[in-house]
Amino acid sequence: MKSALIIIDMQNGFLNPESPLCIKGARATLPACARVIRACRRAGIPVIFVNRAYRADGSDVEHTRRQVWAAGGKPLTPGSTGPLSVENPPEFERSPQDYEIIKPRYSAFFQTPLDLLLRRLNVDTVLLTGTTTPNCIRTTCYDAISLDYSVVALEDCCSSNTQEIQQANLLDMGNVGAVIRSSAGFLRELDGGRLSIRPVRPGDLDRCAAIEAACFPPEQAASREAVQARIAAYADHFLTGELDGTIVGFVMGPVIRQETIADEMFDDTSCHDGKNPWQSVFSLAIHPDWQGRGYGRELLDALIAQSRREGRRGVTLTCLERKLAYYQSFGFENRGVSRSVHGGAVWYDMALPL
């Protein structure tokens, strides 16, 4: 099986609320789409942007949207920039190796060279992402199946104006033979499955420091020197996750005496003692290129399992309010606003009794 990733209509004119053609759910899919694009490039999967562009005089605009298009500032005209433009968002970091096709109507196959390009690339499976699910994604799906391609639609990389529309159309595509799956599941399979989890080694310092810096703002991130000190002090409680020899993330923290983390511990590794009862979590960090695949959950599960084997009383951490539900899904209990003022943020104490 050889796949190609197709990104449909992810352009400012469909993403920006200032545009009359904006799709309400499209912007929220940008992070997932960007992760899939980066992963496919790394894996050598062709990345094909299928975009829309209209003549400035509107002579090629669908008659059903011509009035809205004209009254709304004539979005998606060739060479345009700004909120109504034909441009793809900067999150996608367009690469010279990407392909681009301009389509005149909903389907990526209708009056375009897409079928020829796919056959020249020996592609037999198309990965569909973009907007909108009921129009462009769905018609492309049906045309692809009619042309004997296998179809995989990445549900969280597609969008509609409402969740009801989204789910109904995904169901219909699944009923005609498309495979509907999450981007996280696809990316995990692309990466080869589960992480290889092991204790950190001194030679991992540069990679771990780079991941820490990429995942946290400067006022919260541990410095390279701090990461080095932590590796030296408690390597057995600093677990890294590898894929094909590349560290993609880590979870780490000292074993401490008390149930809550104090700010002075971040700069003082002497708080660690293997005889203490509480495993702390100072950092759970996945490099941005590998986020959204569930690797953070695998790493934290591994540290929790290790804590059980070691007979700890529990695992403790602090988190921002937006992360409360994530950690509660592991069984952590919210102990309320923390005394920590690390990085000038408001933190919550979370504890998982074992």
Side-chain angles (χ1 to χ4, degrees), residues 89-277:
E91 290 90 338
F92 292 172
E93 301 174 344
R94 287 289 300 273
S95 169
Q97 71 195 46
D98 299 336
Y99 298 90
E100 181 176 22
I101 288 173
I102 303 299
K103 66 182 176 68
R105 290 294 183 265
Y106 295 131
S107 173
F109 289 98
F110 183 79
Q111 295 185 3
T112 77
L114 178 59
D115 183 44
L116 174 62
L117 174 62
L118 295 175
R119 296 190 190 282
R120 289 288 176 85
L121 295 173
N122 296 314
V123 167
D124 56 22
T125 301
V126 293
L127 309 169
L128 297 185
T129 66
T131 196
T132 63
T133 305
N135 299 334
C136 304
I137 302 299
R138 181 168 170 164
T139 55
T140 300
C141 168
Y142 286 11
D143 282 351
I145 290 173
S146 298
L147 291 166
D148 283 336
Y149 293 100
S150 296
V151 175
V152 177
L154 301 181
E155 58 184 340
D156 55 322
C157 293
C158 301
S159 55
S160 304
N161 274 317
T162 71
Q163 274 303 307
E164 291 78 12
I165 293 172
Q166 177 79 352
Q167 294 308 314
N169 282 275
L170 290 171
L171 179 62
D172 280 348
M173 287 191 290
N175 286 340
V176 299
V179 175
I180 312 299
R181 64 183 311 186
S182 69
S183 64
F186 165 72
L187 291 171
R188 286 165 66 90
E189 182 177 290
L190 190 65
D191 290 337
R194 294 180 63 84
L195 289 175
S196 173
I197 297 176
R198 61 166 175 80
V200 72
R201 301 168 186 150
D204 301 328
L205 170 61
D206 288 341
R207 178 61 176 170
C208 290
I211 292 173
E212 175 82 4
C215 291
F216 301 102
E219 62 272 16
Q220 296 175 14
S223 66
R224 184 180 186 278
E225 292 72 22
V227 174
Q228 185 175 31
R230 294 171 186 182
I231 291 173
Y234 43 84
D236 287 345
H237 301 88
F238 192 134
L239 304 181
T240 63
E242 283 186 331
L243 291 169
D244 297 326
T246 297
I247 295 176
V248 301
F250 60 82
V251 61
M252 58 89 163
V255 180
I256 61 177
R257 180 180 298 121
Q258 62 199 56
E259 182 180 322
T260 56
I261 296 170
D263 282 351
E264 57 266 23
M265 294 178 181
F266 293 120
D267 297 316
D268 183 7
T269 58
S270 68
C271 65
H272 170 75
D273 187 329
K275 297 178 182 178
N276 285 333

Side-chain angles (χ1 to χ4, degrees), residues 37-53:
I37 290 168
R38 290 193 297 266
C40 285
R41 288 185 185 130
R42 287 197 306 269
I45 293 174
V47 174
I48 304 171
F49 285 87
V50 180
N51 290 329
R52 186 72 69 93

